[in-house]
Amino acid sequence: WNATVGAQSRDQGRQVLAFLPNEAWIHAGDSITWILATDEPHTVTFLIANQIRNPFSVGCPGYSSSPTSFDGSTCVSSPPLAPGQTFTVSFPATGNFKISCLFHENMSGTIHVLDLSQPLPHDQTFYDNQAKADGKAMLSDMKDHSHDQSVSTGNGVTAGLGEVVATGGGTHTLSIMRFMQRKVTIHAGDTLEWT
């Protein structure tokens, strides 16, 4: 199985912080390879039940080499991924496993690992199409507000907007990482506040 980590606009100012798709059903023994599609770093991390989430610099603690295996008994985490890098995890045991990114708290998903006797609801083509559609929808969301002059008042500049979206599989975030006003005019001696 294949999946994508993140999506971005051409100018990199709009970042989708998401596992695409963020929910998948596979069989025990299958593996998934995630590829990083952005310049924003991410991790592919599976924590064990009740484990405290560490900072990205700590990992599980530590990082796993790819390919690795996750059965819910020991945490696995990719190191911070660079654009185009992949991380492969095999799933030998059935269960519902939460995937997260140690860089971004609101970036999660779920992998449902079924017994071989159970039919899978979707195939790779479905997940590819879902990932593309979700990434495109997130990138186009909030476009009407990306240069909205009303987001600040007076001598203020807003640097970025964002939203967190919850789904059945987890959460993902759209971050608009730029100054929201194209132009701000002030007078000599005025103070400008950045938020």
Side-chain angles (χ1 to χ4, degrees), residues 154-170:
N155 291 354
V157 175
T158 299
L161 292 174
E163 71 177 356
V164 178
V165 177
T167 69

Side-chain angles (χ1 to χ4, degrees), residues 148-159 180-181 184 193 195:
D148 188 346
Q149 297 294 324
S150 67
V151 294
S152 290
T153 57
N155 291 354
V157 175
T158 299
M180 302 314 293
Q181 298 88 337
V184 176
E193 182 175 327
T195 56

Side-chain angles (χ1 to χ4, degrees), residues 5-18 20 36-42 104 107 135 138-139 141 161-163 172-178:
V5 181
Q8 67 186 14
S9 60
R10 285 190 182 141
D11 67 0
Q12 301 174 17
R14 299 170 76 77
Q15 293 286 330
V16 174
L17 312 177
L20 300 168
L36 183 65
T38 67
D39 290 275
E40 177 75 12
H42 296 286
H104 305 102
M107 183 174 164
M138 290 286 293
L139 285 171
D141 202 13
L161 292 174
E163 71 177 356
H172 47 248
T173 305
L174 170 66
S175 294
I176 301 176
M177 299 190 281
R178 67 167 143 246

Side-chain angles (χ1 to χ4, degrees):
W1 299 92
N2 296 298
T4 304
V5 181
Q8 67 186 14
S9 60
R10 285 190 182 141
D11 67 0
Q12 301 174 17
R14 299 170 76 77
Q15 293 286 330
V16 174
L17 312 177
F19 296 102
L20 300 168
N22 80 338
E23 187 171 26
W25 287 259
I26 63 173
H27 281 133
D30 287 352
S31 64
I32 303 176
T33 297
W34 285 269
I35 185 167
L36 183 65
T38 67
D39 290 275
E40 177 75 12
H42 296 286
T43 67
V44 174
T45 304
F46 288 90
L47 302 175
I48 60 173
N50 301 316
Q51 181 177 355
I52 295 173
R53 186 173 190 259
N54 290 318
F56 73 87
S57 58
V58 176
C60 278
Y63 301 112
S64 308
S65 59
S66 180
T68 191
S69 180
F70 182 73
D71 63 7
S73 64
T74 304
C75 172
V76 300
S77 181
S78 73
L81 296 173
Q85 281 188 308
T86 62
F87 189 71
T88 301
V89 180
S90 63
F91 298 87
T94 61
N96 298 308
F97 304 114
K98 182 179 177 182
I99 183 174
S100 58
C101 173
L102 296 180
F103 280 92
H104 305 102
E105 186 174 344
N106 290 312
M107 183 174 164
S108 64
T110 303
I111 305 301
H112 305 280
V113 182
L114 306 178
D115 184 78
L116 289 171
S117 65
Q118 295 179 282
L120 296 177
H122 307 294
D123 61 11
Q124 183 65 57
T125 300
F126 173 87
Y127 291 127
D128 291 345
N129 292 335
Q130 182 183 23
K132 287 177 191 171
D134 288 351
K136 184 177 180 180
M138 290 286 293
L139 285 171
S140 66
D141 202 13
M142 292 178 32
K143 264 194 177 168
D144 293 340
H145 303 291
S146 64
H147 297 292
D148 188 346
Q149 297 294 324
S150 67
V151 294
S152 290
T153 57
N155 291 354
V157 175
T158 299
L161 292 174
E163 71 177 356
V164 178
V165 177
T167 69
T171 57
H172 47 248
T173 305
L174 170 66
S175 294
I176 301 176
M177 299 190 281
R178 67 167 143 246
F179 300 115
M180 302 314 293
Q181 298 88 337
R182 290 181 189 257
K183 179 180 177 183
V184 176
T185 303
I186 63 171
H187 295 101
D190 282 353
T191 300
L192 188 63
E193 182 175 327
W194 304 87
T195 56

